[in-house]
Amino acid sequence: MVITPIHIEGKDKGKVMLYALSTCGHCRRTRELLNELGVSYDYLYVDQLSREEMDTVLREVEKFNPRGSFPTIVINGSHTIIGAREDEIREALA
Amino acid sequence: MTGSEIIPDVERRYQELNRDAERGGYHLNPDLSMTKGLIEGLLINKERYGYEACPCRLAFGTIEDDRDVICPCDYRDPDLSEFGACYCGLYLTGEKIADGTGAPAIPERRPSRSERKAKQMPGSGQEKTLPYPVWRCKVCGYLAARDAPPEVCPICKAKKDRFEIFIS
């Protein structure tokens, strides 16, 4: 199953993937930060997916973050930042 | 339902939650834009699933899977004690409010999906040694020695199904 995330254009700082929930304040703050940094990124609101899509994406998230919590940012498929950790996100995308 | 249909209810729910919190010795996050955003999330989840699942956790839509993250979640009080805030930032301690740093990003305390599946239900073959079993509210720790748990926790307002047998 292919689930296409929503793409936001910006400066290329590598492939930035944000897994988030539409109802979560920390996730909202993280999106605002990425927008402020002006980087190119993709995001998915996992709570808005169908049950089947949700299972697929959650398995993907759990590879990087076994707790399956949100927000989870994966940079270039390897560097994972869990939670709205502003300093860490700024540093990784400087 | 879209978020815009929910907004008139946010203020009412905020007032209720704030009143219950203050009565029970808890405090909502004074950052109203964040708090009301989270309460809107609670109302969206109520509409989606029938209960106010934590807005910062992925609900699965069945009460058996989501019970521990229905707000106030089973993890609120341990997180308040350790970090001064609950996981989503809806509740802060008085001390955290005073220091003005707002809701921190804290690690998820809820066990992973695989850990939750592996967790065994407690055994039921215990001998009864007390005149009444003691029920413990998993949300706030309130204990009640009586035949059955109260319908609603008098301290934190969690429903009956959030109680567990503590001593029987």
Side-chain angles (χ1 to χ4, degrees), chain A:
Chain A
M1 188 189 313
V2 179
I3 298 143
T4 313
I6 297 160
H7 182 69
I8 305 292
E9 286 292 345
K11 288 177 280 188
D12 181 12
K13 295 284 177 183
K15 183 162 171 41
V16 179
M17 180 66 214
L18 167 68
Y19 299 95
L21 301 178
S22 69
T23 50
C24 167
H26 295 286
C27 296
R28 193 180 60 202
R29 241 164 46 185
T30 302
R31 276 206 59 205
E32 284 165 1
L33 177 60
L34 292 177
N35 293 341
E36 183 201 316
L37 294 172
V39 299
S40 158
Y41 70 98
D42 291 290
Y43 75 94
L44 267 179
Y45 279 146
V46 182
D47 59 317
Q48 291 180 338
L49 302 174
S50 72
R51 184 57 210 254
E52 202 185 342
E53 291 171 327
M54 197 187 277
D55 279 339
T56 304
V57 173
L58 199 50
R59 275 197 295 275
E60 207 172 285
V61 175
E62 283 165 346
K63 275 190 249 164
F64 301 102
N65 168 9
R67 298 250 148 181
S69 63
F70 301 93
T72 293
I73 297 178
V74 181
I75 302 166
N76 293 326
S78 56
H79 182 183
T80 305
I81 301 174
I82 298 166
R85 297 181 191 277
E86 181 173 345
D87 294 347
E88 236 180 280
I89 296 168
R90 282 185 186 277
E91 193 184 330
L93 299 175

Side-chain angles (χ1 to χ4, degrees), chain B residues 21-124:
Chain B
E22 293 298 327
R23 279 184 185 165
Y26 293 90
H27 312 286
L28 295 186
N29 187 335
D31 176 347
L32 288 186
S33 108
M34 178 158 183
T35 297
K36 289 187 181 176
L38 291 167
I39 292 173
E40 186 180 346
L42 288 176
L43 295 178
I44 289 170
N45 284 345
K46 170 96 175 170
E47 188 66 26
R48 278 180 184 164
Y49 311 118
Y51 40 82
E52 293 181 343
C54 175
C56 293
R57 290 177 167 113
L58 183 61
F60 293 92
T62 58
I63 189 119
E64 296 75 21
D65 290 326
D66 297 337
R67 184 175 280 121
D68 60 330
V69 292
I70 295 173
C71 186
C73 69
D74 288 5
Y75 314 104
R76 176 187 66 173
D77 288 24
D79 280 338
L80 283 171
S81 303
E82 190 173 346
F83 301 105
C86 72
Y87 182 71
C88 75
L90 181 60
Y91 291 92
L92 297 186
T93 58
E95 205 177 329
K96 193 79 193 158
I97 290 170
D99 87 15
T101 54
I106 64 180
E108 170 62 295
R109 185 181 295 274
R110 186 188 201 200
S112 68
R113 274 201 303 175
S114 54
E115 287 166 337
R116 294 201 300 276
K117 268 185 203 147
K119 197 182 169 199
Q120 295 296 313
M121 294 301 287
S124 54

